[in-house]
Amino acid sequence: MYTSRRNFLKKTALALAGTTVLSNELFAAINPGELLGIQLYSIRDDMKSDPLGSLKKVAAMGYKHVEHANYVNRKLYGYSAVEFKKILDSLGLKMPSGHTVMGKQHWDAAKNDFTDEWKMTVEDAATLGQQIVISPWLDESLRKTYDDMKRYMDVFNKSGELCKKSGMKFGYHNHDFEFSQKLNGITVFDILLQNTDPSLVVQQLDIGNMYNAGAKALDIMKKYPGRFESMHVKDEIKSTGGHDPYESTILGKGVIPVKEIIDLGRKSGTKHFIIEQESYQGKTPMESITEDLKIMKKWGY
């Protein structure tokens, strides 16, 4: 009846291994389609001077997904959607989302329809293989009053319907004003979340931007569980200059509990984890995003 310590440890190790495999399979099943990417605004100067060379470096680092922040006159960093897609394909990169501001000029209230400019934006996003078309700003003119903003949230939902026709969703990316500005005593962010259809409009939670308004990602995620399909993974440190009290930094080096936030996101349905760093504290942007990727991989992403 005697069992040696060696046999006991061996049996325990085998049992734990089986449990780990099972739990990993269950965990993977919770969030199919999860991906890790980089917002190209992180290397904006590099992309401006040498977009092709910069994308080659990004791919060589090990990134598989990128998110654009430069769409002007149907061009991305100087390339048409078709041309840019070919470049991405040649480098083994995919672009699941991109940033293009949807403004007043994109909605014709008289016709109750989008202008051709926005329809072409959505068309090009589909050509690029995007899953989400993200607007990263809400103009002040659209949030002067509670009623103004609530009406525009109908446009958000309609943009989601337009994107849905091409197999995509519409999305919104926050800064900090959404948490500091109130209309009828309700924050802009709450108005946004309460008046958009989650099946049509994705919220891309920037976990760093909100910190300058005193908001905390964990609190917001607990208030609106399951609403953040996409996330900008960012850390913040006290600013050395500029107007904001905090600026972004290498993941894990600042005041944001980044790993706790992304782990909660993973458990509650976040699929897109997009790294973004906008300030570099003496490092180059390329050095910074290389470190950020290593940290995310170390954390299991």
Side-chain angles (χ1 to χ4, degrees):
M1 299 295 290
Y2 176 75
T3 303
S4 72
R5 177 172 170 78
R6 180 181 293 177
N7 286 338
F8 174 78
L9 291 173
K10 188 183 291 185
K11 287 176 181 177
T12 305
L14 286 171
L16 284 172
T19 304
T20 302
V21 170
L22 180 60
S23 62
N24 284 343
E25 288 175 353
L26 289 170
F27 198 69
I30 290 170
N31 224 2
E34 181 180 298
L35 59 87
L36 174 64
I38 182 70
Q39 165 54 256
L40 294 174
Y41 188 75
S42 305
I43 51 167
R44 52 198 174 277
D45 292 338
D46 298 271
M47 287 298 296
K48 185 177 180 180
S49 61
D50 183 10
L52 180 56
S54 298
L55 288 170
K56 286 179 179 177
K57 289 178 183 178
V58 166
M61 287 176 199
Y63 282 102
K64 301 296 182 186
H65 300 90
V66 298
E67 181 179 81
H68 79 74
N70 184 287
Y71 177 83
V72 182
N73 297 325
R74 301 198 77 175
K75 298 278 187 178
L76 298 101
Y77 307 97
Y79 298 95
S80 71
V82 171
E83 291 168 338
F84 202 71
K85 179 68 162 58
K86 286 180 180 177
I87 290 170
L88 294 176
D89 288 346
S90 71
L91 296 173
L93 294 170
K94 294 182 183 298
M95 189 150 66
S97 53
H99 280 198
T100 308
V101 174
M102 184 176 75
K104 289 180 74 173
Q105 75 275 22
H106 294 127
W107 177 251
D108 188 331
K111 294 181 179 178
N112 194 39
D113 196 10
F114 291 100
T115 61
D116 288 343
E117 185 180 354
W118 188 250
K119 289 177 181 177
M120 288 187 290
T121 298
V122 173
E123 181 183 320
D124 286 343
T127 298
L128 289 158
Q130 290 181 208
Q131 298 171 26
I132 316 171
V133 180
I134 298 173
S135 180
W137 187 252
L138 184 62
D139 191 74
E140 286 185 41
S141 63
L142 301 170
R143 48 183 165 94
K144 284 184 175 180
T145 70
Y146 175 85
D147 290 338
D148 284 342
M149 186 173 165
K150 193 173 179 185
R151 272 193 296 272
Y152 204 68
M153 291 304 96
D154 290 336
V155 178
F156 268 37
N157 288 323
K158 285 182 170 67
S159 184
E161 291 169 357
L162 178 64
C163 290
K164 188 177 181 179
K165 292 176 182 177
S166 298
M168 301 182 292
K169 292 182 181 180
F170 177 63
Y172 181 76
H173 166 275
N174 66 276
H175 282 78
D176 57 0
F177 69 82
E178 296 90 345
F179 303 93
S180 57
Q181 182 185 2
K182 291 185 177 182
L183 303 170
N184 286 14
I186 307 170
T187 67
V188 165
F189 196 76
D190 285 332
I191 297 169
L192 222 163
L193 271 284
Q194 291 166 13
N195 292 279
T196 51
D197 183 342
S199 69
L200 299 170
V201 181
V202 170
Q203 299 301 325
Q204 183 181 65
L205 191 69
D206 188 303
I207 69 175
N209 284 351
M210 64 173 62
Y211 202 79
N212 278 308
K216 296 181 179 179
L218 288 172
D219 295 338
I220 299 299
M221 293 168 73
K222 288 169 184 174
K223 184 175 182 178
Y224 294 105
R227 289 297 300 271
F228 306 107
E229 190 172 325
S230 183
M231 185 179 288
H232 264 197
V233 182
K234 187 183 288 183
D235 207 344
E236 298 284 321
I237 195 171
K238 282 195 174 181
S239 180
T240 53
H243 300 293
D244 294 323
Y246 290 89
E247 64 184 29
S248 57
T249 190
I250 299 289
L251 298 177
K253 304 294 185 183
V255 297
I256 307 289
V258 180
K259 189 174 186 303
E260 188 179 353
I261 293 167
I262 60 178
D263 285 350
L264 177 60
R266 180 178 255 175
K267 290 173 185 173
S268 58
T270 302
K271 294 181 180 180
H272 294 192
F273 294 90
I274 309 296
I275 295 166
E276 184 180 43
Q277 188 175 339
E278 303 166 73
S279 302
Y280 315 100
Q281 296 85 45
K283 296 179 184 289
T284 69
M286 287 290 182
E287 288 170 343
S288 297
I289 68 169
T290 301
E291 283 192 46
D292 289 328
L293 180 60
K294 287 177 181 176
I295 290 162
M296 286 294 283
K297 287 186 173 180
K298 181 181 175 183
W299 286 344
Y301 288 80

